Amino acid sequence: MSTEFLKSSFVRRLDDDEIVPVFDCGDADLNEFITCEAQAYKKSKLAVTYVMSNLANPIDVIAFCSLANDRVSLSDFDSKTEFNRFRKHSGFPQHKRLKSYPAVKICRLGVDVSKKGRSAGTKLLDFIKTYFTVDNKTGCRFLTVDAYLDAIPFYEKNGFSLLTAEDEQSAYTRLMYFDLDSLAE
């Protein structure tokens, strides 16, 4: 499959009051978010949306993601022992024994059906990873996502791991994380 379109695409923050009139990623909830709800989330300071567009036609949205502040917390784990294993694996100094660590949540991510399987989602994730590691803009250590079950392989391919062996959150999603510190290695 050709990924030539990626060379002529760029990622940008959705402009104030910009409306995406049409988008189809095959998921009605995600489509509704980008076409109807993204601006309300931004105005309420709940999430900021980024879109991947074509240079030749910037209003043509290829993919999008919305981001919000999050944390990886002791309460995300079944036990304190499991959290301590996670903390030790992440290489935190022992004197930094916090009960939570700063993260950015990927609230929603959608790729136009005509571009699925052609690395647009990966390019968008690479943008997010770079955005939060270059100059450490927010003091963020992790990216998190409540991944739909059928999207888990996509996130794993992009370096995300399941936070715990089991989730009690939902039968439809799993909590996953990406350690931004792994990019420095």
Side-chain angles (χ1 to χ4, degrees):
M1 283 185 229
S2 172
T3 57
E4 197 64 31
F5 74 94
L6 289 175
K7 293 178 185 172
S8 63
S9 66
F10 67 103
V11 178
R12 63 184 174 80
R13 190 174 177 153
L14 193 64
D15 289 334
D16 290 346
D17 301 320
E18 178 181 355
I19 302 297
V20 176
V22 178
F23 185 81
D24 183 13
C25 67
D27 181 298
D29 289 336
L30 292 174
N31 294 340
E32 183 178 349
F33 178 82
I34 190 63
T35 59
C36 301
E37 300 171 357
Q39 289 301 344
Y41 273 71
K42 182 178 182 181
K43 286 177 184 166
S44 297
K45 296 178 178 57
L46 297 176
V48 174
T49 300
Y50 291 82
V51 294
M52 179 186 296
S53 298
N54 187 309
L55 282 171
N57 184 8
I59 63 168
D60 178 26
V61 174
I62 296 166
F64 80 93
C65 67
S66 65
L67 305 175
N69 293 324
D70 196 15
R71 66 185 182 161
V72 175
S73 173
L74 174 61
S75 64
D76 292 324
F77 295 85
D78 292 332
S79 69
K80 190 171 183 176
T81 301
E82 199 175 334
F83 180 65
N84 285 334
R85 273 192 218 113
F86 169 81
R87 187 173 22 210
K88 183 177 178 184
H89 173 76
S90 297
F92 292 110
Q94 289 300 316
H95 64 282
K96 295 291 182 191
R97 297 182 67 89
L98 305 172
K99 292 194 185 331
S100 66
Y101 296 93
V104 168
K105 180 172 281 295
I106 300 168
C107 304
R108 293 174 176 81
L109 189 149
V111 176
D112 185 274
V113 291
S114 69
K115 305 294 192 249
K116 284 194 178 187
R118 297 170 59 191
S119 300
T122 294
K123 182 175 180 177
L124 196 52
L125 286 178
D126 289 346
F127 166 81
I128 296 165
K129 291 172 184 177
T130 301
Y131 187 77
F132 286 100
T133 55
V134 173
D135 296 330
N136 194 16
K137 290 173 187 61
T138 64
C140 160
R141 173 66 186 261
F142 300 102
L143 297 178
T144 60
V145 64
D146 291 321
Y148 288 137
L149 297 179
D150 61 351
I152 289 173
F154 164 75
Y155 285 105
E156 287 177 329
K157 179 184 86 165
N158 284 284
F160 283 73
S161 300
L162 295 171
L163 190 64
T164 61
E166 294 181 18
D167 277 343
E168 294 180 13
Q169 291 182 333
S170 166
Y172 307 106
T173 64
R174 291 293 311 275
L175 183 57
M176 300 185 78
Y177 76 99
F178 178 85
D179 188 348
L180 291 167
D181 201 47
S182 69
L183 296 176
E185 296 172 355

